[in-house]
Each structure stands twice: as structure tokens, then as C-alpha cells.
């Protein structure tokens, strides 16, 4: 049994139990959680003690003494329809009065927008008595909104915990270091706190200055959530500083954005990119000083990837300036593993695994389910860890609850050992990659492993069919890059074999107006014709122009019928067998799929759906999977691809085919789609994993293509 | 047994058989078909003899003597990708050399378009030797097309018959009366023909001057078909005359339209509307003179609604000028009945019913299927006939084939009697209408009963979910109007209770950019708030603006999530029972349905689909049916509504609910959804029909709401 690399939660009422479990799991660190208190003798429990630290909340005394230095957010009111020329609008309708309050001292920053004509209305007043905005010359039958600046009077994440877990502790107010008094206060407080916490080895920042956008409705339920949202970074102090530096001012509507709030599905505007850059610089400069203090006291600074992480993007330009020691984040699958494990400029990266030790899972009689959830989480994470491991793992919640489930405790023991074995093997040498693939979207490397997320890892019907591509990639034997359209304009990196464009028309992930840019279109055409591969998923390269809906319809071999070319007969509806679909058993799962895709002449239709009622021999069927020769290169289209073992294999094959490297696929490869092989050239070791809950037989191929029949037990990892 | 109102086909080899059947069916007219010859003693067969007449084909001698006076069409070549700076493009690639030939005498009308940059290229030449268009300064990786003018060397409809029915007769060339020689020739020929055909009572024009767009591919298969297409009206003579009259010239790309060829799903451009008006005037002026000649010889002029009908739109401004006596068209269901039966300015309207007497249906052993097809066609048509009857019915094909099926002959006998009864009852008095509803699209009354058609009545997966609305309306007890967005701007007619907007985003049927026009948006909002109803189907009022995708989301109570507001929590997912769904048994059929529709706060969700894998309690489900209070008016949303008895009832209820007239629905009403009631106030008669193949029990409500239980036999029509 090995030791180390594992962090467990503890609290003052479970000291002896913690010691026992720490021994079993080989844990070398303990941590508190939001809502628990560390025991007095915590140093005795493990080599390292993590302590949660909040920069902008937790000191209500300070907050109450400096009410103007709270955080702000620009919000759009409900829509009001003008019936006559007078219109009264309550900005707070639908918002949670416990969370926000209109900042009526900043009325000059408010805007009234006529949403019907998309114009700003200047002619309005604010009624102090009612709190309403009043128009006197409204245009009847136009819809209006108020873009108003609001003070944040309760930390959103605490609201969530409060309402979800029925907390009764004091409501944490916030204070914004963009204001000078709070700026020096947070540095001072850091120093004092370090002094007062000699037992702490690791300051776990939860997190820094600006919370991701999280707004509640009048019933205290979540109203708006964007894990990437800069909405709560709109400090008046920062707005003024921005104007001074950039020479132009940002207004409320620049942030409100018609109600879309510059969420990451929007193609970012120049203004918003300017603001992001500005905030990132501000955040890193404040955090850098906090970290200096932490280091001065011999402690490590760890960032929790979540909560107030806005402006501290780990793949951003200024992340390294903060001089952090570590990052920790929650692991929901392979994508979140890679999102964490590839973060540069830190000494180590830690993943918090599921399930949380909370009563919703750890109640009597639910032990088998808890073990199953652990297995599921571990298996999906493991394939990503084999490609690029985290340095540490951990759990959250109440350890005392987990301790009541002995089977669960035993299974975690095995998992911790397996984790350490993987880190030892994979942490030392880069694994063999058959290909280099690049995900192309408007964000590029800044949002590495983060595309299509809304509320961190939450499931949305509109995204899982696209997220599946990343989840599949997280454990496949390919090198993965994230590139932007600007990168393409500068020149596609020489090492890239395949570019993947995945997403819905009109979003930053598909690319929207970028596909109107002929420099991008011609650059990719040329690059594919020279012998590379291009894979499109969903509505790739979508931008109606020149009679096409997909700008690269010629590369993909398909286009989308948007009811403007129904008169054109489409005869290419015959399904063909293909290298890409060789491992498919039964139906392919395309998730939400895509309607109205048709194949161009010459493309190979690999899968097509026919309506039960189809009544013609042409113009029928919706293409789900297609392959297309394009010069010396190739294009592939997929309607969608939620993650599953079969789909990961399908993608793997599609990438090798697109790259014209089919012959090289069976190297360091395991034939059964439920299995995967990772090869570490430096140590000449192979790890073959079984992702299934059942035993499977598979042909293992070594790096030279020599094969051998193996049997793998459920969830087994086999080292060779 | 009654007589009259029925036309049957005949030919020289089936004289005695024709007499027998004419007697059974009460037929009073006989006709020839394209490909048959009338018997010599044809006058003995019936009171009236119809004779097919072609204006612009049939005289190959004339055509060959005047090869420059043939018809023309602007076509887009295949797309050519430039690899280097030189690019050779074969305009004819993919086209049928038997049908068209590039008009190389009109090269000045050709255009080369760079489809990647959407610009015209002037720097090209035509290589006479190869027939290719050559670019010397192409931009590599741009796609180019040639918009070329082609001569039509074989009549498209004859090609269809030729290839489908293996004809071997001479290939009919065409000649265009836009040219002066042909102009006088067609008038002269009409005169001569009338003289030579004393036996003919009715000249059945098939049809006039310009064929709807019908283009074949290199294999002789249909390549492009648009029943409304003006593509083949682009005579150089007309183009010159247009320029003279309008003061500006139309170019090839004005017709090619990026490959969409101004098909009716496109919002028509000003230029295209000008061209349509111009062509309509030209056609009516030529046809008017032909009709004069027909009348001079004591014959009637009947227009076949199809083939070369472009420019002769029956609901167009210049239709009445032609002084036609009658129109005939094929009947595929209720919509085509109403399309024909409401045509103004003619003495009578005739429908050609299905099935055709062709060997594909009338082969040995298929009699029951032939009867079933007749029943299906008759039942769907009958409900429309009861609202607005045709004056005559008829059949096409080879009567000798039908004569071999006695059960079929007997069933037609019944149908003909039923038809005459309906015409007698319904032809004399307008039926009771509970409501007036208007279909709103970019075409308005010009394309009455024609929206969403591509190739006449052919089924397309992308349209049946919308066509179902019209099919349902064709037999419901409501008055139906067709209005355009321009009509809305001028003011909504006072008699309209409900407006229906149905179709796909970006099309002329939904409205596309019209919904960016605040005059339209505010006019409808006001009108609904005053107490009217608005029903949207599919992607109604779709135009992304002001943070909404549906311009009238506030009226409809729903919007479409286009992946830009996923961050917003949507809680309105609870299905509610409602007046609109009271007659629903089992699942509602939405056809192709619609993805990503969500309900706004306050709307009533009447039906919602949940994914099998949904994993959250918010932001899930796709709304399929919703109802919304809006001021004193109401909005209703439907994801799609293919025609079925149940869906027709659903629409009927939705219209009454939207109009705030639920209480009036049960007047002249039959409760069972498979039944419908039509009431004729002038004669105080009720017709109750059973559309089902089984007997049903139903409550009949008279005009005062008094009810009575009735039993109706399969397909029965009951007069009260």
C-alpha cells in the first residue's frame, strides 16, 4: 500500500475517525470545507493542512463599514410593454432582494433600452419613492428594459449553500478590492490571517476577487448562472479605470448584451475582450501580492477553480504572474481532469472527486449506489489521468458520513492506490500520441477544455451532444490543442493533423461571423487539401453566405437545408460501410442529433435517418455521419456525439481517417471499444484499461502493431 | 342517379367503353390526355369535348425554323474551387444536354460569381472550343460559379413523361411569344386550330407561355423543381423590355439568387417582385388575345393550373384580364380543392381527382388499393368541397384501365353522385363560419392556399408539419384569408379574428426580415391586445433582435433557445390541461416538431417533450404547445401540425380559444374529432361527414347549440 497525494476533509467532531481513514487511503493532507471547522490539533492528522480562505467575503464588519465598496453587477430588468406613452418599470421585478439592491447613486450608469427598436432611450427618470424607472414618451407596443447597476449584498455561492443546505449562519456580504480602502484591507487581512494560522500549510483560496455570474430570482431560486460570466466584475472603480486606460467607456448594455451577458456561447466583442484583459490584469496584480504574503509565511497558495475565479483564468495571459503553487477543482469526468491537469505555471494540481460526502448520497441503505457513483466517476476520470495525470486527489464533504460505509471506504482505498500508480507512471513521461488534433472555436486556448460549459459541469440538453467530443478526447491517445480563429489567420501550427469544429450555428463554438471571413475559409480549405483532416460536429462552419449554410460544406461534404433550397433534388442518401464505423455495434448515439443535413454529391453517407413517414425516393433522410475526400485531405461530419465508449472509438477512427493515417491506428491500441491503451515510450510501459463494468476480451497491439489477446476484469487497469 | 359535372378521359381505342362508363358516372364531358388521341366521333360521347392545347410547344417545324425564339433559363453552374490562379468551368456539368444548351450568343448576360467572397468577377473569357468559362486571375481556394443563360431545347414536362413513361414520340421543342415572330405565330396558330377543331367545346390550355422551373441532371433525372419558379421566363426579349420599362436591368444573379432561384421560400426581393409583375402583364396580354380567338369560335377557354402557368397566377392582379372561362387542376387533398375552388373571375373550376388511371395503380390484383386511394383522396377533398365546392370533377389517364375494376367503377359512381349533391347544396349558399382567420406570410393573397408547396403536392419532410395547418383549415368551419406583411402595415382587416404565422425561420412563410420591422411587430401586438388571437407554428415571427429570437415571443408565450441564453434558468415546464387539448386522445403528432422551444413566465405549457436522459429540474424539456394571455387577446404556439382529424380539431379549438370565442365553438358542430359539420344558413341544411373508415358516434350540435347523438357509417355524409 502506497501513501500520499490524497487530501481528505475533516472537522473538529471527527478527529479519530479521520486518522483511521487517512491511514487506509494514504492521505497526507486534510482540509476544511465551507461550513466546517478544523480541529484544534489538526497538524497531528496529516503532513499538510489546507485552510479555506476568502478574499472578498467573511468579514461582515468591514463590509458594513464600507457599504459603497461592495461588488456590483449590471442587470437587465424584466421586459415592460408600453401600452401608452407612460411606462413604469420596476428594475427589481424577478430579482432577489436579499442578494442585490439597485445602486441608485450610480443612475448615470443605468440605461433604458427599447428592445423593439434596439435603441437607447435617454428620456427617463427615476422615482425615488417607488424605486421605478419612469418613461413619459414611451412608444406604445414597444418593449423596454432597464439596464441597471446593482449592489451585491450577499455572496451568491453562500446563498446557494444557505438555501440548499438550510444554513443559518450570518449572511456574508462582499467587498471589492477595486476600491482603495478595501484594496489595502485585503492585503492587511491576508497578513494577519497568515500570522493567526500557523497550523495551515496550504491557503486554499475560494477564490479571489470576482464571483462568476450567479443571480437569484424573487423566490431565492437560481435565475442566471454563467461559470465564465464577468457580470459581477463591473466595479465602478474598474469602469472608471478602464475608461482612463482604454480611452473609451463601457456602458451597461455592453455588459447586459440584450440579456445574453456576454456568456461564452456569444462570439466575444472587441469591447468584451478588452474588459476581460483589463480585469485579468487587475485580478492578477492583487492576487500576486496576496500570494507574496502567503509565501512570506512559508505557506502555499492554492486556487480553487470556481466561485470567485473570474479574471484568474488558468489558461490566461496573466495567470503565471500570480505565482500560485497549486490549483484544485472538482472532477466530474475526463474533461475536468484535463482542464485541471494541464494548467501551467503551478507546482501541482489537485482534483476533488465525486461523490461528495453529503447526506444526499450517504444515507442508510445507499452504500451500493455510493460505490457505483465512485466507480463511474473514477472510470471516466481515469482514462484522462492516464493521458495527463493530476498530482493529487481529494474528497469533500463530511468524512464521518463516508466512514459509515465500509465497502465505500475500501473501494476508495483501491482507487487511491490506483491513482498513485498512475501518477508515478504517467507523471514522468508523456504518453504516445498517434495524432495531434485541435479544437477550433472563438476562444482558443484561453478556454482549454472548457467549451460548451454553462454552469461548470451541469448537464444541459443543448450541450451534451457537443461536450461528448471533448470528453472522448480527454482519454484518447491524441495530443489535444485548442485554437482560435485568430490563430488560424496567423497560420495553423505545423504539428496539427486534424481540426475539429463543434457546436451550434451562431455560437462562439461553431464560429458564427468568423466563417464569413474568407481568410479563415480559404486557409482551412488549403490546409485540408494539402492532406489534413477537418471534422465538423453539429452545425460546424455555419454562416449563410454564397448559397451555402456551412461555409466549409465543400470540405465536410454536407450542408444544412434551411428551407431555401428544397427545390434542389438530393440523391445522395445511400448509407455506405466505412473504416470510421467498423467498431459500431447497433445504433450510433448522436445525442440531440441534427435535422436537415444533406450530403453533397461525392460525399460518402455513413449514417442517415429516415422519417417513418417518408414518401419519396429523393430529398429524404437526414445525414448523421458523412466522410468526404477533399484534395489530399478529408472532411468528416457528425450530427452530434455524446460521450460513450463506442462514440470515443468512432471519433478516434474518424480522426485517423481524416488525417489519412488509418494504417497507424493499431499501434499502442486495444481493439475492444470499451478498452483503451496508453503507452509511455520513456518507460516502455503500456496501461490497458477496461472502462466497462463487465469483463471483456480484447486484442492489445503494441507500438509496432504486434497483437495479443487479453482478458480484462471489470474496471481493470493492466500494466505491461 | 344524377348527371353532369363530370369529365372523363377517352381515346380512340375505347369508344364503346367510354359510353358505358359515362352513363354510370353521369359524365357530360370527355377529354384527351397528353399522349392520347380523341376518337373521330367524339361528339357522340358527351355534351362537351375538351381538347388539350399547347401554346408554346407541339410545332417542331416552327421551333426549328426559329431556333433563336426558344425559351431561356438562367442557371448556376456547379461550384468550382480554384486551386491556382487559372480555373476552367464547364457550365453544363450536371445538366442534361438534351434539355438545355448554353446560349453563347448572349455571353454578355452571363456572370461569374466568386461564392466565397460573394462578389462578381469580370475578368473571364469563354473558350468556344471547349465550351468552358476560363478565369486567369482566380483567387485560390475560392469557389466560383458561372451564371449562364441557356436555351431550352426540350419541353421539361414532356421530358418527365418521356423518361417516366418511356415515350418515343418526337421531342417537343419550345418557342417563346416574347419574340415578335412567335408572338404573331401563336395567335395565328390558335385561329387555325380553332377552325380545324369544330368538335372541341373546351380548349384546355396546358398551359400558356412559361413553364415552372423544372431542370434535369446529366442522367436525365429531375435536378431542380419549383412549381412557382419564374426561372424559365427569362427571355432576352423580355429582359430588354423590362429594362426599358423599369429603367434598370436585371442580371443573371438576380435570377440565380445564389442557387435558390427566388423560390417561394425566399422572401421576395423588390427586383423579383417587379419581374413577376412584368411577366404577369406580358402573359395576360398574350393569353387575352388567344382567348378572344377561342371565344370567337364559340369555344370555352380552360386553363390547366400547372405546367406553363407562370405569369398566369389565378390570384394575381392580371388574371381577370385573360377572360378565361374555366380552370382545371389536380386535387391531392383539401388544400388543392380550395386553391382551385376559390379562384375568381372564371365561370367554373374543375378538379382532376386521384388516382390517375395509369398502370402503376391499375394492375391486376390491385383493385382494393385503387378503391382505397380513391376513398382517401375523396374524403380529404370532400371536407374542403363542403366549405367551397368545385363546379366539376374529372379523372385522367386511360379509362380502359379503370374499366377493368368493377368495384372501382361502382365506387366512382357513388362519389360522382355525392359530388353533385354537395355542389347543389354548397354551391348556392356560403356555409356558416364561426371565425375568420388569416394566414400571414410574405406572399399574402397572391399565393392563396399555396404556401409551403415545392413541387405542387409532393411530400417533403421539411414542409408537411406546416402544410398540415392549411390542410386542416381547408375543411374547418372558418373563413380563411391570406394576408401579407404589407397588408398588416396597411391595417389588419376588421373581420379577422385570428392571425396564423406558420413556417421555418428565414423563410417567406415565417417572414424573416419582416419581423425586424417594428411597424409590423407593434401593429400585431396592439391588435392582439385589443382582443384578437395570434397562432404561431414552427418558428413563427423568427428574427433575432433585441435579445429575442421570436419577435412576438411576448405574444406567443414562448421563444426559441438558440444557445445564447442557456445561462437563464427556465422553470416553466409543467404541463397543464386546457380547452385546446380537450379532444386529444393519446399523443399529439407535431410532425417534425421543433427543438429548443421554452415557455416564458406566465405562459401555459400544454405539451412538452422531455429527453430520455434529462438530468435536471430546470432548463429541460422542449415546449410543443403553449397558450398565452396577452392583454385582452391570446397567443398560441404549436411546434408543428401535420394534417390529421385530431390535429384539425386541435387547431379548431386553438382558433376559438385564441379568439376568445370558446363558448361559440359548439354551434353547427359535431363532437367526434373524426367528424365535421357544415351548416348552410340560406337553405338551413347541415352536412355531417365522417372522415374515418369506421363507424362513429357523435354529438351533433345545431346552430343554437342543441345537441343530438348520431351514428355515422364509414365515410358517410349525412344531410340534415
Amino acid at each position: 500500500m502506497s501513501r500520499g497525494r490524497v487530501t481528505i476533509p475533516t472537522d473538529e467532531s471527527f478527529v479519530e475517525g479521520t486518522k483511521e481513514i487517512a491511514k487506509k487511503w494514504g492521505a497526507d493532507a486534510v482540509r476544511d470545507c465551507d461550513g466546517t471547522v478544523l480541529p484544534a490539533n489538526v497538524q497531528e492528522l496529516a503532513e499538510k493542512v489546507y485552510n479555506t480562505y476568502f478574499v472578498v467575503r467573511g468579514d461582515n464588519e468591514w463590509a458594513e463599514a464600507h457599504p459603497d465598496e461592495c461588488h456590483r453587477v449590471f442587470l437587465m430588468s424584466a421586459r415592460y410593454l408600453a401600452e401608452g406613452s407612460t411606462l413604469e418599470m420596476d428594475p427589481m421585478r424577478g430579482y432577489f432582494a436579499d442578494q442585490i439592491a439597485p445602486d441608485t447613486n450610480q443612475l448615470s450608469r443605468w440605461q433604458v433600452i427599447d428592445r423593439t427598436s434596439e435603441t437607447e432611450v435617454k428620456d427617463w427618470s427615476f422615482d425615488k419613492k417607488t424605486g421605478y424607472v419612469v418613461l413619459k414618451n414611451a412608444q406604445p407596443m414597444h418593449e423596454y428594459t432597464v439596464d441597471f447597476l446593482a449592489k451585491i449584498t450577499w455572496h451568491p455561492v453562500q446563498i446557494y449553500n444557505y438555501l440548499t443546505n438550510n444554513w443559518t449562519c450570518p449572511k456574508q456580504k462582499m467587498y471589492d478590492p477595486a476600491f482603495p480602502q478595501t484594496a489595502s484591507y485585503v492585503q492587511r487581512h491576508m497578513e494577519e490571517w497568515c500570522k493567526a494560522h500557523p497550523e495551515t500549510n496550504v491557503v486554499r483560496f475560494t477564490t479571489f476577487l470576482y464571483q462568476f455570474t450567479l443571480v437569484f430570482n424573487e423566490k431565492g431560486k437560481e435565475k442566471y448562472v454563467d461559470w465564465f460570466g464577468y457580470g459581477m466584475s463591473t466595479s465602478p472603480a474598474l469602469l472608471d479605470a478602464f475608461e482612463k486606460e482604454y480611452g473609451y467607456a463601457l456602458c451597461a448594455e455592453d455588459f447586459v448584451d440584450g440579456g445574453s451577458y456576454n456568456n461564452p456561447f456569444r462570439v466575444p466583442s472587441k469591447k468584451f475582450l478588452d474588459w476581460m484583459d483589463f480585469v485579468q490584469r487587475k485580478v492578477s496584480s492583487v492576487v500576486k501580492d496576496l500570494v507574496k504574503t502567503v509565501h512570506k509565511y512559508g505557506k502555499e497558495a492554492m486556487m480553487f477553480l470556481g466561485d470567485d475565479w473570474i479574471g484568474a483564468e488558468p489558461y490566461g495571459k496573466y495567470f503565471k504572474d500570480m505565482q500560485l503553487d497549486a490549483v484544485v477543482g472538482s472532477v466530474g469526468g475526463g474533461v475536468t481532469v484535463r482542464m485541471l491537469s494541464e494548467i501551467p505555471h503551478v507546482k501541482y494540481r489537485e482534483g476533488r472527486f465525486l461523490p461528495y460526502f453529503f447526506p444526499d448520497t450517504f444515507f442508510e441503505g445507499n452504500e451500493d449506489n455510493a460505490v457505483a457513483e465512485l466507480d463511474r466517476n473514477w472510470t471516466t476520470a481515469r482514462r484522462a489521468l492516464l493521458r495527463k495525470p493530476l498530482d493529487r486527489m481529494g474528497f469533500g464533504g463530511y468524512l464521518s458520513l463516508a466512514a459509515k460505509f465500509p465497502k465505500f471506504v475500501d473501494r476508495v482505498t483501491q482507487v487511491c492506490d490506483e491513482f498513485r500508480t498512475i501518477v508515478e507512471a504517467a507523471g514522468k513521461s508523456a504518453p504516445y500520441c498517434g495524432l495531434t488534433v485541435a479544437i477550433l472555436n472563438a476562444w482558443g486556448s484561453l478556454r482549454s477544455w472548457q467549451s460548451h460549459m454553462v454552469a461548470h459541469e451541469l448537464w444541459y440538453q443543448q450541450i451534451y451532444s457537443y461536450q461528448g467530443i471533448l470528453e472522448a478526447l480527454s482519454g484518447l491517445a491524441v495530443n489535444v490543442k485548442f485554437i482560435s480563429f485568430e490563430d488560424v489567420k496567423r497560420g495553423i501550427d505545423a504539428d496539427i493533423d486534424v481540426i475539429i469544429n463543434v457546436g451550434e450555428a451562431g455560437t462562439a463554438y461553431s464560429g458564427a461571423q468568423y466563417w464569413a471571413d474568407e481568410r479563415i475559409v480559404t486557409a482551412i480549405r488549403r490546409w485540408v487539401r494539402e492532406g489534413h483532416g477537418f471534422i465538423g460536429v453539429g452545425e460546424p462552419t455555419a454562416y449563410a453566405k454564397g448559397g451555402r449554410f456551412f461555409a466549409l460544406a465543400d470540405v465536410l461534404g454536407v450542408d444544412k437545408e434551411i428551407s431555401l433550397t428544397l427545390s434542389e433534388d438530393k440523391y445522395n442518401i445511400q448509407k455506405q460501410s466505412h473504416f470510421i464505423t467498423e467498431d459500431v455495434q447497433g445504433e450510433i448515439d448522436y445525442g440531440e442529433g441534427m435535422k436537415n443535413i444533406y450530403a453533397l454529391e461525392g460525399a460518402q453517407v455513413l449514417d442517415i435517418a429516415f422519417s417513418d413517414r417518408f414518401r419519396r425516393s429523393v430529398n429524404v433522410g437526414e445525414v448523421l455521419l458523412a466522410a468526404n475526400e477533399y484534395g489530399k485531405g478529408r472532411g468528416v461530419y457528425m450530427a452530434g456525439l455524446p460521450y460513450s465508449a463506442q462514440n470515443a472509438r468512432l471519433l478516434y477512427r474518424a480522426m485517423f481517417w481524416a488525417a489519412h493515417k488509418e494504417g497507424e491506428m493499431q499501434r499502442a491500441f486495444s481493439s475492444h471499444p470499451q478498452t483503451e491503451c496508453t503507452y509511455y515510450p520513456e518507460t516502455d510501459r503500456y496501461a490497458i484499461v477496461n472502462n466497462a463494468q463487465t469483463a471483456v476480451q480484447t486484442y492489445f497491439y503494441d507500438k509496432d502493431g504486434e497483437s495479443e489477446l487479453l482478458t480484462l476484469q471489470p474496471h481493470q487497469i493492466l500494466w505491461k
Side-chain angles (χ1 to χ4, degrees), chain A residues 167-203:
Chain A
W167 286 4
T168 53
C169 55
K171 298 176 177 179
Q172 290 181 339
K173 296 187 189 307
M174 298 175 72
Y175 29 94
D176 177 356
F179 295 102
Q181 294 184 78
T182 298
S184 57
Y185 162 78
V186 300
Q187 299 295 346
R188 203 162 64 233
H189 186 274
M190 184 85 252
E191 181 105 24
E192 283 159 14
W193 190 92
C194 285
K195 265 186 227 165
H197 289 80
E199 80 289 357
T200 301
N201 309 97
V202 178
V203 182

Side-chain angles (χ1 to χ4, degrees), chain A residues 308-507:
Chain A
D308 316 65
W309 75 295
I310 295 306
E313 278 82 348
Y315 298 97
K317 274 192 279 184
Y318 311 104
F319 181 73
K320 66 174 178 305
D321 301 342
M322 296 191 286
Q323 298 282 309
L324 293 165
D325 299 285
V327 175
V328 61
S330 77
V331 168
V335 165
T336 37
V337 165
R338 295 290 288 267
M339 177 173 76
L340 289 165
S341 68
E342 295 192 358
I343 290 176
H345 312 305
V346 289
K347 291 183 209 137
Y348 61 96
R349 299 134 200 98
E350 179 169 317
R352 190 185 63 198
F353 280 68
L354 295 177
Y356 258 89
F357 306 158
F358 274 157
D360 56 350
T361 305
F362 290 84
F363 58 88
E364 211 176 305
N366 203 43
E367 180 159 15
D368 288 347
N369 289 332
V371 172
E373 193 182 338
L374 174 70
D375 278 342
R376 213 165 37 239
N377 188 239
W378 173 243
T379 313
T380 52
R382 184 177 61 183
R383 52 192 292 276
L385 292 167
L386 284 160
R387 305 304 310 168
K388 178 74 180 168
L390 294 164
D391 302 287
R392 301 183 54 83
M393 68 181 294
F395 289 94
Y398 307 111
L399 194 61
S400 53
L401 287 179
K404 290 180 190 158
F405 284 179
K407 269 196 280 185
F408 181 83
V409 171
D410 287 350
R411 181 67 183 122
V412 174
T413 307
Q414 292 166 2
V415 163
C416 291
D417 284 341
E418 211 170 292
F419 176 78
R420 284 181 286 257
T421 313
I422 290 169
V423 180
E424 289 308 310
K428 287 177 185 153
S429 87
Y432 164 80
C433 287
L435 298 169
T436 294
V437 304
I439 297 282
L440 169 64
N441 60 40
W443 294 108
S445 63
L446 175 68
R447 300 254 184 263
S448 294
W449 297 104
Q450 292 159 17
S451 53
H452 295 283
M453 284 187 189
V454 179
H456 197 45
E457 296 159 41
L458 276 190
W459 183 91
Y460 282 73
Q461 188 168 352
Q462 290 84 358
I463 63 178
Y464 74 91
S465 313
Y466 305 137
Q467 277 178 328
I469 293 286
L470 287 195
E471 189 64 34
L473 286 176
S474 74
L476 291 174
V478 297
N479 182 28
V480 182
K481 292 184 150 192
F482 293 84
I483 63 171
S484 71
F485 294 101
E486 298 300 330
D487 293 334
V488 168
K489 281 199 253 178
R490 281 187 289 264
I492 299 166
D493 291 350
D495 61 341
I496 297 173
D497 297 292
V498 176
I499 288 177
I500 302 178
N501 180 236
V502 42
E504 206 81 3
T507 67

